[in-house]
Amino acid sequence: MSEPRPSDRHDASYPDDTFEEIVDEATQRDPDLAVIEAGSRTLRTHSGQPQGEAVPARPADPETDKALRAVEQELAGRWGETKLEPSVTRIAALMDVLGEPQRAYPSIHITGTNGKTSTARMIEALLNAFELRTGRYTSPHVQSITERISLDGSPIAPERFIETYEDIKPYVEMVDAQQPYRLSFFEVLTGMAYAAFADAPVDVAVVEVGMGGTWDATNVIDSTVAVVTPISLDHTDRLGTTPAEIAGEKSGIIKEGATVILAQQPVDAAQVMLKKAVEVDATVAREGMEFGVTSREIAVGGQLLTLRGLGGEYEDIFLPLYGAHQAHNAAVALSAVEAFFGIGAEQARSLDIDAIRKAFASVLSPGRLEVVRSSPTVVLDAAHNPAGAKAASDGISEAFSFSRLIGVVGTSGDKDVRGLLEAFEPIFAEIVVTQNSTPRAMDADELAAIAVEVFGDDRVQVEPRLDDALEAAITLAEEDDEYAGAGVLVTGSVITVGEARLLLGRG
């Protein structure tokens, strides 16, 4: 790596106190300043304040762009994210030859079906507000592969992404040669993230699973905080056909002695999680019991919240995101950060309210009820399963007063497409079905056949090209003075949303 990892440094160049020792020492003093002081004493010279760039454009330098495309092409030649051999054997072997970089920092691990990325972004913002240097690993990306690995709230620079790949490439090839199957696309990216975080170095990593939990490539970390966002049916061919079966797989991120932050769950999924927690002697904090949303009201550009955390109530929290689901994500994120700092178990106090307010006010979550155009208003949402579609539908109905809403929908072929369309049917006046550019995309005509069964033939239009679909939807929204308050919602897949974002000039 370009810099020695913390584990390689001599005492003269790395602080004598570990991060945990600093927190422990500081919390015995001024409780309101303890966390801030702990973070500020951990190599802050390596970074400035978070930049908050959510979705980077392609590199401006042609040579850098060429090199990044070459890396993307090499990664694309591996097993994709939907082709799995369920084990952590290969990623564990890679971590071993890299010197176990994932053990160089504490971490917060996030699983669940919906809300993982938004929750991860909120956790990251909160940690940044207390001057901790963060690494965030999320998937999939909206537009740029570099979004998946973030340092201090901003996607890793393309040059650093390329450098990290080139640094670990010899070790990846070494593991490839020793295993029955080569490392997958996701496994290599996970290795890159863990190595980049150690190289930075970060104070804490915020890590979202790719799929499941037990055998997910990210699950070579021993996180002190395990976060479980709402579980619903998705990836049923790999994770199980009931919430309880899916919860069994996702519970694999709960490690011995950890604190589990459990969002509201189906009863059978909650039972599985609680049983696993008992087995490994983990502490559980449940939404609606130990923490939750006390109140929320619609505000210009988002919502105003009162959250009850593990250490007390936090009032007048402005969150610039729409939908009740994002308020619940905020409660989960806040409690996860409190748990990371030992609040609720070791300490009975609240975090600094001004820092909390500042953090939540800065949160961005691209492609999650994101407004990208006005006249007519065009909203993007990456909902790709029925539960996500229901949350988006409710959020649209609550936050926007459209006189008529046109849907642009392009989905993957392996999803519950009918369930997704049924969730959107009450709010879409008409729907334009399309497809994105990936091989996983459902054929537009096949999608249209299902849409006609849900919406009726007179409400469905087919435009296989996404650019044509966007133009058709905008035309439908603009076609009559009567519909001056009409809008467009683009949804169905993260890929569809990312490609629409580029077409609408946001990339």
Side-chain angles (χ1 to χ4, degrees):
M1 295 306 188
S2 59
E3 297 177 27
R5 299 194 184 104
S7 57
D8 300 329
R9 297 177 187 263
H10 298 295
D11 289 347
S13 60
Y14 193 70
D16 292 329
D17 293 332
T18 64
F19 173 71
E20 291 82 1
E21 290 169 343
I22 294 170
V23 171
D24 183 63
E25 173 191 331
T27 51
Q28 304 307 313
R29 300 173 61 247
D30 185 342
D32 290 331
L33 299 176
V35 177
I36 296 175
E37 183 173 346
S40 65
R41 291 169 58 189
T42 55
L43 298 177
R44 291 299 301 170
T45 55
H46 288 271
S47 70
Q49 293 301 310
Q51 298 303 304
E53 181 188 22
V55 181
R58 296 295 309 184
D61 177 63
E63 290 303 313
T64 302
D65 188 53
K66 181 179 178 182
L68 180 59
R69 289 185 187 279
V71 172
E72 290 171 328
Q73 187 171 1
E74 288 189 29
L75 289 170
R78 295 179 173 273
W79 275 3
E81 289 173 281
T82 59
K83 186 172 182 180
L84 304 167
E85 192 280 314
S87 88
V88 294
T89 302
R90 291 173 303 282
I91 187 67
L94 179 61
M95 293 296 100
D96 181 56
V97 297
L98 288 176
E100 304 292 347
Q102 82 282 14
R103 305 199 188 284
Y105 38 80
S107 57
I108 297 174
H109 206 177
I110 307 169
T111 190
T113 302
N114 292 307
K116 296 187 296 295
T117 299
S118 293
T119 302
R121 286 181 172 276
M122 292 179 196
I123 291 172
E124 174 187 52
L126 288 163
L127 293 168
N128 286 155
F130 290 105
E131 307 223 359
L132 296 185
R133 185 159 208 216
T134 56
R136 173 173 52 82
Y137 181 51
T138 54
S139 60
H141 56 275
V142 177
Q143 288 175 203
S144 171
I145 194 171
T146 60
E147 295 167 37
R148 295 180 180 235
I149 304 174
S150 290
L151 296 172
D152 284 328
S154 294
I156 190 172
E159 296 83 358
R160 196 163 188 178
F161 185 92
I162 296 162
E163 178 188 350
T164 302
Y165 176 75
E166 294 298 336
D167 280 347
I168 76 165
K169 183 177 178 180
Y171 301 98
V172 168
E173 293 172 345
M174 185 187 307
V175 173
D176 283 345
Q178 297 170 347
Q179 298 293 325
Y181 304 101
R182 292 202 311 158
L183 287 153
S184 69
F185 168 89
F186 187 73
E187 287 169 332
V188 175
L189 273 175
T190 301
M192 289 173 61
Y194 289 160
F197 296 162
D199 192 46
V202 302
D203 295 324
V204 54
V206 182
V207 178
E208 173 190 334
V209 303
M211 186 187 302
T214 301
W215 44 256
D216 187 75
T218 63
N219 201 31
V220 288
I221 51 176
D222 291 318
S223 297
T224 56
V225 179
V227 176
V228 187
T229 65
I231 291 172
S232 60
L233 299 183
D234 200 7
H235 302 295
T236 53
D237 55 331
R238 297 176 180 86
L239 302 180
T241 57
T242 67
E245 290 178 352
I246 294 172
E249 173 57 36
K250 292 180 182 293
S251 69
I253 73 163
I254 301 174
K255 305 299 169 57
E256 185 174 353
T259 299
V260 184
I261 303 300
L262 194 61
Q264 291 179 342
Q265 304 290 347
V267 172
D268 55 348
Q271 289 173 338
V272 171
M273 288 290 172
L274 292 171
K275 180 181 178 182
K276 178 59 181 285
V278 170
E279 291 173 357
V280 298
D281 195 27
T283 301
V284 179
R286 299 154 295 177
E287 184 179 7
M289 299 289 287
E290 286 77 23
F291 70 92
V293 179
T294 299
S295 68
R296 57 183 294 269
E297 57 185 272
I298 305 305
V300 176
Q303 51 192 311
L304 194 64
L305 310 174
T306 296
L307 302 177
R308 178 166 54 85
L310 305 180
E313 284 205 347
Y314 300 79
E315 299 179 338
D316 297 327
I317 305 295
F318 175 69
L319 181 68
L321 302 175
Y322 300 107
H325 61 295
Q326 294 291 16
H328 291 286
N329 290 339
V332 169
L334 174 61
S335 296
V337 172
E338 287 182 309
F340 179 75
F341 290 130
I343 293 172
E346 301 167 15
Q347 306 167 50
R349 67 175 184 85
S350 298
L351 294 174
D352 179 69
I353 185 62
D354 290 332
I356 297 299
R357 288 171 179 156
K358 180 179 179 182
F360 276 122
S362 72
V363 171
L364 301 172
S365 197
R368 278 75 180 178
L369 291 183
E370 179 188 19
V371 178
V372 294
R373 171 181 164 153
S374 57
S375 299
T377 298
V378 178
V379 183
L380 308 179
D381 193 87
H384 57 273
N385 55 43
K390 179 64 165 60
S393 178
D394 290 346
I396 283 279
S397 299
E398 176 185 76
F400 299 88
S401 54
F402 293 124
S403 61
R404 184 166 176 257
L405 183 63
I406 312 299
V408 175
V409 179
T411 69
S412 296
D414 58 348
K415 300 296 181 181
D416 179 1
V417 174
R418 180 180 296 275
L420 180 140
L421 293 177
E422 288 174 345
F424 281 124
E425 191 277 332
I427 68 167
F428 286 165
E430 296 181 61
I431 180 174
V432 181
V433 298
T434 187
Q435 63 191 73
N436 59 55
S437 64
T438 66
R440 291 178 58 201
M442 176 174 277
D443 178 78
D445 289 332
E446 184 181 351
L447 177 57
I450 302 173
V452 166
E453 293 177 3
V454 174
F455 289 85
D457 185 67
D458 59 337
R459 294 168 64 193
V460 179
Q461 183 171 332
V462 185
E463 295 290 350
R465 288 171 50 107
L466 182 56
D467 54 350
D468 292 337
L470 290 171
E471 183 177 352
I474 290 170
T475 299
L476 285 169
E478 292 176 330
E479 67 181 2
D480 261 329
D481 290 340
E482 177 186 352
Y483 300 125
V488 174
L489 174 64
V490 184
T491 189
S493 161
V494 174
I495 304 300
T496 301
V497 163
E499 292 181 356
R501 210 172 184 277
L502 280 170
L503 289 167
L504 292 165
R506 294 300 293 261

